[in-house]
């Protein structure tokens, strides 16, 4: 990753993935480690979006457009200082929209299977997002493609390990091809996209 040889410190990192995958938890840890501001995607939703999800209806592209634009504006505004923002960014088109506002974004896709994420969501208290929407989140999800700057990290381990693995994957000079001592299985991370190959 870091094809341009940039320091992770001055990058804006988008922590993406389906609801309940740990974007908030891991995103905060990453921001702390990088010593950059953190922003929570849910804070950018218009109230109507929160009401819709709370009622058990998935958002559509039109609902997500102003939300993505608000997150893109935040990312653009933090391009110099760096930052970490959570955002499900489920579709390629959504990530394109974010990149249109902030071209140098790098994505950390947190991945986990439906059963694990469903359990974690069910245990999470005081959150508007119903577990019932998880199937639609997985159905909508389009993983990072080969030309997108980013890495995928499994959320099977605890949050600190996930954050550590994400940071390692983001570091300049990260091994482009998994070596025998650092396979995706061993590290819990699955490099994806052009960025992970730098
Ligand atoms: N790696 C992890 N291991 C165990 N539990 C986790 C992990 N990451 C997040 N959690 C827990 O899972 C729930 C969902 O995490 P959260 O950060 O709110 O996800 P998201 O922001 O993607 O919806 C929370 O209760 C959180 O404490
Ligand atoms: O695009 C969407 O459908 C929503 O933005 C969704 O992906 C997001 O995850 C919710 O805001 C729930 O919040 P959590 O991801 O924090 O559960």
């Amino acid at each position: 990753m870091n094809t341009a040889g940039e320091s992770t410190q001055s990058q804006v990192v988008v922590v993406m993935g389906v609801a309940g995958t740990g974007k908030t938890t891991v995103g905060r840890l990453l921001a702390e480690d990088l010593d950059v501001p953190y922003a929570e995607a849910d804070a950018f939703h218009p109230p109507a979006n929160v009401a819709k999800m709370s009622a058990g209806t998935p958002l559509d592209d039109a609902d997500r457009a102003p939300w993505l634009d608000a997150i893109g504006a935040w990312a653009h505004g933090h391009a110099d200082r760096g930052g970490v923002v959570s955002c499900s960014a489920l579709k390629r088109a959504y990530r394109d929209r974010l990149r249109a506002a902030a071209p140098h974004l790098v994505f950390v896709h947190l991945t986990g299977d439906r059963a694990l994420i469903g359990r974690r969501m069910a245990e999470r208290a005081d959150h508007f997002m119903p577990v019932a929407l998880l199937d639609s989140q997985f159905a909508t999800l389009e993983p990072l493609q080969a030309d997108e700057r980013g890495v995928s990290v499994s959320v099977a381990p605890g949050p600190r390990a996930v954050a550590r693995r994400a940071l390692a994957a983001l570091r300049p000079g990260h091994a482009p091809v998994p070596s025998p001592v650092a396979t995706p299985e061993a590290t819990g991370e699955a490099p994806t996209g052009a960025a992970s190959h730098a």
Side-chain angles (χ1 to χ4, degrees):
M1 113 120 277
N2 278 297
T3 46
E6 302 162 58
S7 151
T8 50
Q9 185 126 7
S10 60
Q11 288 182 326
V12 177
V13 178
V14 178
V15 183
M16 61 166 282
V18 298
T21 199
K23 300 181 296 294
T24 304
T25 308
V26 173
R28 286 195 176 121
L29 292 173
L30 279 179
E32 265 175 41
D33 287 342
L34 294 169
D35 193 24
V36 294
Y38 171 75
E40 165 61 46
D42 289 343
F44 294 91
H45 274 304
N49 282 3
V50 177
K52 191 170 179 179
M53 290 186 279
S54 304
T57 306
L59 300 181
D60 58 28
D61 290 353
D63 297 321
R64 287 173 177 136
W67 171 71
L68 291 165
D69 289 344
I71 294 170
W74 187 92
H76 177 74
H78 286 75
D80 291 338
R81 163 92 171 87
V84 177
V85 60
S86 63
C87 174
S88 48
L90 297 175
K91 291 187 187 178
R92 167 71 192 243
Y94 301 164
R95 299 189 292 275
D96 287 341
R97 196 169 180 118
L98 293 172
R99 278 186 290 257
H104 299 298
L105 289 180
V106 60
F107 289 83
V108 171
H109 181 193
L110 299 182
T111 63
D113 66 41
R114 166 75 177 76
L116 175 70
I117 304 303
R119 276 199 304 278
R120 288 182 184 169
M121 265 182 97
E123 284 163 12
R124 177 171 68 172
D126 302 327
H127 197 286
F128 62 83
M129 192 74 174
V131 184
L133 284 186
L134 193 50
D135 287 335
S136 124
Q137 293 264 305
F138 272 100
T140 306
L141 177 66
E142 296 170 0
L144 289 170
Q145 295 173 355
D147 62 328
E148 295 187 86
R149 299 181 69 229
V151 296
S152 295
V153 181
S154 162
V155 298
R160 291 220 160 264
V162 176
R164 199 168 56 242
R165 289 168 183 192
L167 277 174
L170 288 169
R171 204 168 287 140
H174 177 72
V177 177
S179 70
V181 292
T183 62
E185 292 72 23
T187 61
E189 71 204 28
T192 62
S196 63
H197 292 278

